[in-house]
């Protein structure tokens, strides 16, 4: 476990890096977020008043991510640190708790009402962290981001509140769209098979059975027995599509497809989903709205639902 002495010693090792990093524009809050989803919420709420840096970019798995030396520097310099909690950043948790002794450090998902959370299948005392999969849950995180920014810069509370209200309206539009297209998927096809159990909240919200090869955390290994069991599901229930994830190896999904093929059942990849990370910065799928629009549209279309060609906003590629 990282102690305060270790943390402070680590910071002392980087004086040149601290000195060489560019200063944030005058008057702006320096915000460091662990995931891209949280960073996007901070940008939406903070607007021109914040400068936001996300530690984990596209394709990065937060379950196994460990802070780098440059991360330590960025976190130490930040006015506001936003992390998810709910044991998502499992390898960074001790460090982030230690960091919480200074500045505004907030685990933005940690305070969600417990009756909205699903149990963690691997840990009795923890919850499934993947709450961003459902816009109706993500609104709680956005409000916690607003509160953290307001605490750090109370003079701009009204601006943060106004920006948050606009973004919450966008999330409501997204929630309505997702529910509408998911309802068009035939009931017998509402089985979502992915690389790991990141979509349980999604399944609960939209009436899908969700089967992941790995558990909620990608740290758990998928065994041959699990893959064999899922091949049985594919064949017995005539499931024609499975999904890969942008932040998880597709090795096990390929094994599923090959196993089904060996039994005379053809399964295709329905598409690549964004599970624990968003798309490339600057792209539509590099935003939270775009990420969920993409996931919902790809899933519904692959499983026989009726969707617009380019998603909710007409910004998806096919």
């Amino acid at each position: 476990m990282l102690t305060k002495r270790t943390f402070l010693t680590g910071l002392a090792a980087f004086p040149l890096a601290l000195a060489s990093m560019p200063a944030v524009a005058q008057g702006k809050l320096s915000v460091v977020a662990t995931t891209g989803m949280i960073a996007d919420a901070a940008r939406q709420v903070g607007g021109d008043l914040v400068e936001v840096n996300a530690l984990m970019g596209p394709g990065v798995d937060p379950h196994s991510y460990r802070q780098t030396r440059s991360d330590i520097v960025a976190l130490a310099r930040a006015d506001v640190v936003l992390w998810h909690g709910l044991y998502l950043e499992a390898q960074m948790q001790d460090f982030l708790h230690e960091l919480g002794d200074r500045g505004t450090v907030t685990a933005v998902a940690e305070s969600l009402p417990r009756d909205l959370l699903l149990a963690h299948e691997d840990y009795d005392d923890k919850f499934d962290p993947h709450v961003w999969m459902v816009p109706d849950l993500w609104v709680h995180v956005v409000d916690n981001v607003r509160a953290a920014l307001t605490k750090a810069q109370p003079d701009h509370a009204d601006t943060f509140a106004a920006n948050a209200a606009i973004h919450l309206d966008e999330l409501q539009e997204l929630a309505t769209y997702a529910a509408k297209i998911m309802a068009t998927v035939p009931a017998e096809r509402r089985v979502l098979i992915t690389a790991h159990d990141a979509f349980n909240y999604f399944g609960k919200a939209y009436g899908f059975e969700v089967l992941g090869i790995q558990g909620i955390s990608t740290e758990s290994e998928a065994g041959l027995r699990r893959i064999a069991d899922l091949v049985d599901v594919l064949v017995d229930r005539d499931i024609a599509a499975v999904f890969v994830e942008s932040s998880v190896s597709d090795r096990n999904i390929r094994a599923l497809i090959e196993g089904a093929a060996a039994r005379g059942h053809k399964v295709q990849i329905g598409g690549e989903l964004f599970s624990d990370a968003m798309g490339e910065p600057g792209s539509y799928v590099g935003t939270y709205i775009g990420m969920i629009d993409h996931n919902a549209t790809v899933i519904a279309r692959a499983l026989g639902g009726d969707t617009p060609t380019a998603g909710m906003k007409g910004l998806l590629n096919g």
Side-chain angles (χ1 to χ4, degrees), residues 37 58-59 132-133 198-199 244-247 272-280 283-287 290-292 294-295 316:
M37 293 79 77
W132 59 86
M133 290 300 180
F199 291 85
V244 296
E245 300 175 28
S246 65
S247 55
E272 181 182 67
L273 305 179
F274 297 107
S275 54
D276 291 339
M278 302 190 304
E280 291 295 327
S283 69
Y284 177 53
V285 293
T287 67
M291 171 192 190
I292 302 302
H294 168 90
N295 283 353
L316 298 177

Side-chain angles (χ1 to χ4, degrees), residues 225-242:
R225 181 70 260 168
R226 176 62 173 170
I227 292 175
D229 289 343
L230 287 176
V231 168
D232 288 342
V233 172
L234 291 173
V235 174
D236 295 344
R237 299 173 64 174
D238 194 27
I239 295 170
V242 295

Side-chain angles (χ1 to χ4, degrees), residues 37-145:
M37 293 79 77
I38 298 171
D40 182 70
R43 293 187 185 103
Q44 299 298 328
V45 175
D48 294 337
L49 298 174
V50 298
E51 191 76 24
V52 183
N53 174 40
L55 298 184
M56 305 177 199
V60 174
D61 176 6
H63 299 283
S64 59
Y65 187 86
R66 295 180 184 274
Q67 67 274 8
T68 66
R69 292 187 176 189
S70 60
D71 291 342
I72 294 173
V73 174
L75 290 163
R77 287 174 59 92
D79 298 313
V80 178
V81 173
L82 303 173
W83 59 293
H84 188 82
L86 299 179
Y87 208 56
L88 176 69
E89 304 97 335
Q91 308 305 315
M92 294 181 66
Q93 183 161 293
D94 289 344
F95 174 81
L96 289 163
H97 279 305
E98 193 70 47
L99 190 70
D101 290 341
R102 57 166 298 279
T104 302
V105 180
T106 305
V108 292
E110 198 70 47
S111 62
L112 262 68
R114 290 317 190 233
D115 61 333
L116 299 179
L117 299 177
L118 299 176
H120 197 300
E121 64 182 21
D122 298 321
Y123 303 99
D124 291 338
D125 60 339
K126 294 180 172 60
F127 299 94
D128 184 337
H130 300 92
V131 296
W132 59 86
M133 290 300 180
V134 179
D136 287 336
L137 293 177
W138 193 244
V139 298
H140 296 278
V141 171
V142 171
D143 192 56
N144 287 340
V145 169

Side-chain angles (χ1 to χ4, degrees), residues 169-214:
D169 285 344
E170 294 174 333
L171 294 181
Q172 182 56 59
E173 179 187 8
L174 179 64
T176 300
Y177 169 76
K180 179 181 178 180
I181 63 171
M182 288 305 152
T184 69
V185 177
E188 68 276 10
R189 297 186 182 179
R190 294 184 187 181
V191 182
L192 179 61
I193 297 182
T194 60
H196 86 295
D197 280 342
F199 291 85
N200 289 321
Y201 289 103
F202 175 95
K204 180 181 179 182
Y206 304 118
F208 278 65
E209 181 180 359
V210 176
L211 301 171
I213 301 176
Q214 291 174 287

